[in-house]
């Protein structure tokens, strides 16, 4: 039984005339009659009663007509949904992200991407960079937004967003009155930082910045979220080197100052599995490239 045969039968059932049905289908009558006969043969029972004056549906034909209409409608829906998925307008997309991503314009891009595609089921999961790589390999997420790290074979990666690091310090700190701060001026300060096992590349980049300035930072407080880093700094526990977007965290007693004499960027990358979900990921990458501004701008 073929969809074409169902379409032919529905046309005959609605016209109750082979000639009119053939005209409606834009085919000649012989292939129409042949396909109806093949359909009945495959089913093992008659769908139509034919006479020289009329065509009528049998009892089985009336039931089969209703079901054939339903099957054809479902086939049309499947075709339409498949086309939307191929164009990146429908389907499901599971996205992992590090907390820092929500402080950047990336959150707005993801929300817009979701709203513009009513047929898309997008879910988001907060995971650190290591957890996202593991989740990608286990096919638990489809796209990850993470800090740069070694990307295993089989995964693709692309830089999504970059911005400069800045210094976060208490508003009461003597250096808070300066327009810019040289890293060397922080050599005797207590630092608040992510633990290394949580985000090795991020941690090492900040340590390397300080070493390049001539000192090893005294990391006394380790926390997992930038919001917590900001809260501890505001409370006077120490200073921190953070991405500029952390400045969007509104906490009394907290100041952010550019770093003088150095420019090291914080980066967020996108990672995904090969060609998997390509019809959704490619439009998402294009949207991000269009909407996200680099920190240098």
């Amino acid at each position: 039984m073929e969809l074409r045969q169902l379409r032919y039968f529905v046309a005959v059932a609605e016209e109750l005339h082979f000639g009119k049905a053939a005209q409606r289908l834009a085919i000649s009558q012989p292939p129409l009659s042949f396909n109806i006969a093949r359909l009945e043969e495959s089913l093992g029972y008659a769908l139509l009663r034919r006479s020289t004056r009329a065509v009528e549906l049998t009892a089985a034909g009336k039931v089969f007509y209703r079901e054939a209409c339903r099957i054809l409608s479902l086939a049309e829906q499947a075709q339409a949904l498949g086309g939307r998925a191929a164009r990146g307008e429908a389907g499901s997309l599971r996205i992992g992200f590090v907390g820092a991503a929500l402080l950047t314009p990336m959150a707005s891009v993801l929300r817009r991407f979701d709203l513009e595609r009513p047929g898309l089921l997008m879910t988001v999961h907060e995971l650190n960079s290591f957890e996202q790589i593991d989740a990608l390999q286990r096919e638990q997420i489809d796209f990850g937004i993470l800090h740069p790290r070694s990307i295993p074979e089989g995964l693709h990666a692309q830089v999504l967003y970059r911005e400069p690091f800045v210094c976060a310090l208490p508003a009461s700190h003597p250096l808070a009155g300066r327009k810019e701060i040289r890293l060397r001026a922080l050599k005797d300060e207590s630092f608040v930082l992510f633990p290394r096992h949580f985000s090795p590349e991020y941690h090492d980049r900040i340590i390397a910045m300080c070493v390049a300035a001539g000192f090893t930072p005294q990391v006394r407080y380790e926390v997992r979220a930038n919001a917590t880093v900001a809260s501890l700094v505001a409370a006077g526990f120490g200073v921190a080197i953070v991405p500029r977007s952390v400045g969007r965290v509104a906490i009394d007693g907290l100041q952010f100052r550019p770093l003088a004499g150095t420019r090291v960027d914080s980066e967020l990358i996108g990672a995904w599995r090969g060609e998997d979900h390509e019809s959704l990921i490619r439009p998402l990458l294009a949207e991000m490239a269009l909407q996200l501004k680099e920190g240098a701008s």
Side-chain angles (χ1 to χ4, degrees), residues 1 32 45 51 71 77 110 121 128 139 150 169 180 195 205 235 238 254 256 267 269 273-274 276-278:
M1 182 168 52
L32 175 60
Y45 52 81
S51 68
I71 292 170
Q77 290 180 38
L110 289 175
L121 175 61
N128 67 34
E139 300 189 8
S150 177
L169 65 167
E180 295 182 325
R205 179 168 291 194
L254 182 64
F256 297 92
E267 293 183 341
I269 66 171
R273 289 184 304 276
D276 200 16
H277 286 72
E278 197 83 348

Side-chain angles (χ1 to χ4, degrees), residues 233-297:
V233 171
F237 282 82
V239 300
I241 305 302
V242 296
R244 187 171 63 184
S245 58
V246 178
R248 300 176 67 182
V249 177
I251 299 178
D252 290 340
L254 182 64
Q255 294 289 326
F256 297 92
R257 293 291 181 267
L259 294 171
T262 183
R263 171 63 190 251
V264 178
D265 284 336
S266 169
E267 293 183 341
L268 291 172
I269 66 171
W272 66 98
R273 289 184 304 276
E275 303 299 316
D276 200 16
H277 286 72
E278 197 83 348
S279 62
L280 285 168
I281 290 172
R282 285 300 173 188
L284 176 59
L285 290 171
E287 184 76 11
M288 287 181 171
L290 181 65
Q291 299 295 334
L292 293 176
K293 303 285 187 181
E294 287 195 351
S297 61

Side-chain angles (χ1 to χ4, degrees), residues 12 90 112 157 192 272 285:
V12 174
R112 186 183 304 111
V192 184
W272 66 98
L285 290 171

Side-chain angles (χ1 to χ4, degrees), residues 128-254:
N128 67 34
S129 299
F130 175 81
E131 291 168 338
Q132 287 188 59
I133 294 296
D134 184 62
L136 283 166
Q137 292 179 311
R138 293 175 179 269
E139 300 189 8
Q140 295 171 339
I141 62 172
D142 307 306
F143 186 76
I145 301 172
L146 56 148
H147 295 296
R149 60 176 299 120
S150 177
I151 301 299
E153 186 177 353
L155 298 183
H156 294 292
Q158 177 176 314
V159 175
L160 301 176
Y161 186 75
R162 57 169 57 93
E163 62 182 340
F165 282 104
V166 298
C167 178
L169 65 167
S172 59
H173 196 285
L175 296 175
R178 299 185 182 182
K179 290 185 178 181
E180 295 182 325
I181 296 175
R182 291 192 174 275
L183 266 175
R184 179 70 180 174
L186 304 175
K187 64 183 180 65
D188 297 322
E189 301 289 339
S190 297
F191 274 72
V192 184
L193 183 59
F194 286 156
R196 190 178 188 281
H197 70 270
F198 182 73
S199 185
E201 289 80 3
Y202 183 95
H203 181 281
D204 290 351
R205 179 168 291 194
I206 291 176
I207 298 297
M209 289 169 60
C210 295
V211 170
F215 70 100
T216 299
Q218 303 175 39
V219 180
R220 294 186 58 194
Y221 309 99
E222 294 187 331
V223 294
R224 289 172 58 103
N226 274 316
T228 311
V229 171
S231 296
L232 286 179
V233 171
F237 282 82
V239 300
I241 305 302
V242 296
R244 187 171 63 184
S245 58
V246 178
R248 300 176 67 182
V249 177
I251 299 178
D252 290 340
L254 182 64

Side-chain angles (χ1 to χ4, degrees), residues 84-104:
R84 292 175 64 188
R87 295 188 298 273
E89 299 171 0
S92 63
L93 191 61
R94 300 163 298 176
I95 297 179
F97 67 93
V98 292
L102 294 185
L103 297 174
T104 72

